[in-house]
């Protein structure tokens, strides 16, 4: 713990740390393919990277970490690869539960979670409930998520409130739209990192 504190002090001496870091987890499949390996092996390596990033951010005192792990576009991948990814997700959640408790990490999700297999939904729901009172870092997993999906669900929510009379069309502004987005409970990311070498956002 003393060493962790020294590292935090050193970093803070260079300037304020980000409150919220977001990471687009990309390139695992390409990494494996370039080495003549099956894509799923790259995803397995990606799970180890997720653990390292999560623990490092928790130790540094980062308040929020968002990991974009599975986008809505990823549903277009071959069924075998999707099944392998879902299996990896379930295993990772079960295996890393002790890490969440040890570091008092609160798990949250954004995205169309209802599209995930029921066993994945169950593991996520259980771990989110078990960690809901923790006061350490908040880890947000973006699963079956994309910006277009988020905008669409926000507009559906606003439209529903207009139809029910809770909201009028004239009331719709940037603030109303922002509050309708799935990440409205968290501060905007201060730092966005994309792995895999691509210089773009999804």
């Amino acid at each position: 713990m003393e060493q962790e504190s020294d590292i935090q002090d050193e970093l803070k001496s260079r300037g304020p740390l980000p409150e919220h870091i977001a990471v687009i987890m990309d390139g695992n499949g390409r990494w494996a393919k370039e080495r003549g390996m099956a894509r799923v092996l790259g995803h397995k390596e990606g799970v180890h990277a997720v653990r390292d990033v999560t623990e490092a951010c928790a130790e540094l005192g980062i308040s929020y970490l968002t990991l974009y792990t599975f986008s809505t576009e990823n549903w277009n991948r071959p069924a075998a690869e999707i099944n392998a990814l879902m299996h990896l997700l379930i295993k990772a959640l079960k295996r890393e539960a002790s890490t969440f408790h040890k570091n008092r990490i609160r798990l949250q999700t954004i995205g169309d979670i209802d599209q995930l297999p029921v066993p994945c939904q169950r593991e996520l729901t259980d771990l989110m409930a078990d960690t809901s009172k923790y006061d350490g870092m908040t880890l947000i997993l973006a699963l079956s998520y994309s910006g277009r999906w988020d905008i669409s669900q926000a507009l559906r929510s606003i439209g529903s409130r207009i139809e029910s009379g809770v909201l009028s069309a004239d009331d719709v502004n940037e603030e109303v739209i922002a509050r309708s987005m799935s990440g409205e409970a968290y501060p905007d990311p201060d730092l966005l990192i994309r792995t895999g070498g691509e210089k773009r956002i999804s």
Side-chain angles (χ1 to χ4, degrees):
M1 293 298 294
E2 184 176 345
Q3 184 178 7
E4 291 174 11
S5 178
D6 290 343
I7 293 173
Q8 288 181 1
D9 290 342
E10 169 65 21
L11 287 172
K12 287 177 181 177
S13 70
R14 302 181 186 181
L17 291 172
E19 181 183 20
H20 186 174
I21 296 176
V23 183
I24 300 173
M25 309 298 291
D26 183 43
N28 295 324
R30 292 193 301 277
W31 178 88
K33 187 176 180 180
E34 288 169 0
R35 288 159 178 77
M37 301 158 58
R39 288 177 58 88
V40 68
L41 295 178
H43 297 311
K44 286 183 179 179
E45 288 297 318
V47 170
H48 299 313
V50 165
R51 180 179 187 177
D52 292 343
V53 168
T54 301
E55 288 194 333
C57 286
E59 290 169 1
L60 290 172
I62 303 301
S63 298
Y64 298 90
L65 172 64
T66 295
L67 300 178
Y68 294 94
T69 54
F70 190 88
S71 72
T72 54
E73 290 81 9
N74 288 156
W75 289 115
N76 296 323
R77 293 184 177 186
E81 184 175 353
I82 292 174
N83 290 336
L85 285 167
M86 295 298 116
H87 180 67
L88 280 173
L89 175 60
I90 292 173
K91 283 185 63 177
L93 290 170
K94 288 181 176 178
R95 186 175 61 247
E96 301 303 330
S98 60
T99 300
F100 281 83
H101 298 309
K102 171 187 165 187
N103 295 289
R104 298 187 62 79
I105 296 172
R106 184 170 66 115
L107 178 65
Q108 299 280 283
T109 63
I110 56 173
D112 193 2
I113 306 303
D114 290 342
Q115 294 299 311
L116 299 177
V118 171
C120 290
Q121 294 182 44
R122 188 181 304 121
E123 290 295 332
L124 286 164
T125 301
D126 289 348
L127 193 50
M128 284 192 289
D130 291 343
T131 62
S132 62
K133 303 298 183 184
Y134 286 165
D135 55 3
M137 182 180 74
T138 297
L139 174 63
I140 306 151
L141 294 182
L143 296 161
S144 192
Y145 176 90
S146 72
R148 290 179 179 178
W149 170 85
D150 208 354
I151 293 169
S152 297
Q153 67 83 28
L155 293 178
R156 283 195 299 272
S157 173
I158 292 170
S160 176
R161 280 178 279 167
I162 291 173
E163 283 184 357
S164 64
V166 174
L167 194 70
S168 74
D170 290 336
D171 293 328
V172 178
N173 54 28
E174 289 184 15
E175 184 180 352
V176 169
I177 295 171
R179 289 204 311 266
S180 302
M181 302 289 280
S182 61
E184 60 87 22
Y186 320 113
D188 291 337
D190 305 295
L191 174 64
L192 174 65
I193 301 168
R194 183 182 186 121
T195 63
E198 294 283 339
K199 292 180 172 56
R200 62 182 177 86
I201 58 173
S202 295

